[in-house]
């Protein structure tokens, strides 16, 4: 963002940009998930989709997670990887439905999760087809196209998949509507939420079950109550998962 | 549209609605493809996606094509069905990328073309997740979400598939940018256009090659020239296809 700020004088007074440029993380995140998405989208506009993909790949090749000291692609949950493989081995088609940027996940989702680009759904900015130096490209525009979170998740699922999921798995309030939509189908359905309650091996946040609050990706007591009432399975990372990451083994 | 008009007084003065309500087809189509899409989208809003799917299925079960006297699902091109099967037998994943409504095609594309709902890309209206009588549904809104035509086709392909096609097949100016985008990839690529030049077995229109003009789905002389210049294969339905429909055999 700092590198791009001179091209965006309006960021000096516009939130969440102004706060972040001053190093005020708390102020920047006060707008919640939507503010974060605006930041991510705005800072990645102007380049082609192919250029953006290369930046993601270059970053993943070198960056390490500050807590786990591993490449980010290694910091995926081992039980999630095993579940995806198990579902596919039993004839299911698996999709990722994330609040994160669709173009950020696609370059690595197939290698890490076995989910090809066309089965990744996420938030996106607008793109525009144009000829650049005689080559047909898609240019990323500084305008949000779709936010794949909360009530947006069923919309994104219908737009991309065109059928109701048989099973859905989440870990925050942003997944509530996706699980409701899944449960609303006929026949057997399965809904599951993962609770991050393991401060030692990963993180602990809720504020469900008396865990610390979280500005992003909160799992609220209301969601926990709804899960119990509606028969959704809640998994405790601390108590139910032998391993969290593959590199632990 | 006539059944819905009392709920939409603004249609009396707003084009293309006003013209169509007066039975003025020529006036209604004067706005081209975009006007048609507006008509289709507006007349199908307000109901849930599941209700719309049922209407499509009910209509297909009874309606017959006025010229061919066959169900619409039988009026698909036999060479297209064979090509799709051939590509899949050789390890390709096949998608439909249509200017038509995505929710109109999905209920029958798998049975007819072997293409499942999640591999159908098309034009769409906005939808909204809501609880209706305690059931989670998606409601169709009278607002265009995306027009999958012309420069929109590469955008839709990137949004849904996230990679550049290896081969692309079209039949009108609306497919030009999709074929350009396909050709822009590295390695071997294949681009093909079908020319409707068989008035006896199907229709004949261009205005390419001196064929009659078409208000919708035109194949212009400029597109024909570009195909020759860029090495795109042009197929004559009249000269190159032994059969057009499966029911001919």
């Amino acid at each position: 963002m700092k590198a791009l700020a001179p091209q965006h004088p309006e960021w000096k007074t516009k939130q969440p940009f102004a706060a972040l440029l001053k190093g005020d993380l708390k102020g920047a995140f006060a707008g919640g998930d939507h503010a974060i998405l605006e930041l991510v989208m705005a800072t990645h506009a102007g380049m082609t989709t192919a250029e953006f993909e290369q930046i993601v790949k270059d970053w993943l090749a070198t960056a390490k997670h500050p807590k786990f000291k591993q490449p980010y692609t290694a910091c995926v949950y081992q039980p999630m990887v095993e579940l995806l493989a198990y579902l596919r081995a039993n004839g299911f088609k698996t999709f990722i439905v994330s609040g994160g940027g669709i173009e950020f996940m696609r370059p690595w989702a197939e290698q890490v999760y076995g989910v090809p680009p066309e089965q990744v759904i996420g938030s996106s900015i607008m793109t525009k087809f144009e000829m650049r130096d005689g080559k047909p490209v898609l240019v990323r525009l500084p305008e949000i196209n779709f936010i794949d979170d909360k009530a947006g998740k069923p919309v994104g699922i219908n737009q991309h998949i065109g059928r109701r999921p048989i099973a859905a798995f989440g870990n925050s309030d942003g997944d509530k509507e996706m699980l409701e939509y899944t449960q609303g189908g006929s026949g057997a359905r399965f809904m599951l939420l993962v609770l991050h309650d393991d401060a030692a091996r990963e993180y602990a946040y809720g504020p469900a079950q008396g865990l610390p609050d979280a500005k992003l990706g909160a799992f609220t007591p209301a969601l926990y109550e709804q899960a119990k009432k509606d028969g959704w399975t809640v998994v405790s990372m601390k108590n139910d998962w032998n391993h969290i990451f593959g590199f632990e083994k």
Side-chain angles (χ1 to χ4, degrees), chain A residues 79-142:
Chain A
M80 180 172 167
V81 172
E82 291 171 10
L83 171 66
L84 285 164
Y86 177 77
L87 286 169
R88 288 190 294 262
N90 285 278
F92 285 87
K93 197 161 183 175
T94 55
F95 294 80
I96 293 172
V97 182
S98 170
I102 191 168
E103 305 264 18
F104 173 75
M105 293 178 296
R106 282 176 163 166
W108 53 273
E110 184 152 26
Q111 188 196 330
V112 171
Y113 292 118
V115 176
E118 63 271 20
Q119 286 159 229
V120 175
I121 306 167
S123 298
S124 59
I125 58 175
M126 304 287 274
T127 62
K128 184 175 175 291
F129 175 79
E130 66 175 49
M131 289 288 177
R132 200 172 260 194
D133 303 326
K135 296 272 183 193
V137 296
L138 291 168
V139 175
R140 292 164 65 80
L141 304 176

Side-chain angles (χ1 to χ4, degrees), chain A residues 48-87:
Chain A
T48 69
T49 52
E51 286 162 353
F52 182 76
E53 183 180 337
Q54 195 56 51
I55 286 172
V56 172
K57 285 179 174 171
D58 291 347
W59 179 76
L60 284 174
T62 56
K64 293 213 170 171
H65 192 286
K67 177 168 176 172
F68 306 115
K69 318 291 182 201
Q70 296 281 336
Y72 281 87
T73 47
C75 300
V76 296
Y77 306 130
Q78 182 64 21
M80 180 172 167
V81 172
E82 291 171 10
L83 171 66
L84 285 164
Y86 177 77
L87 286 169

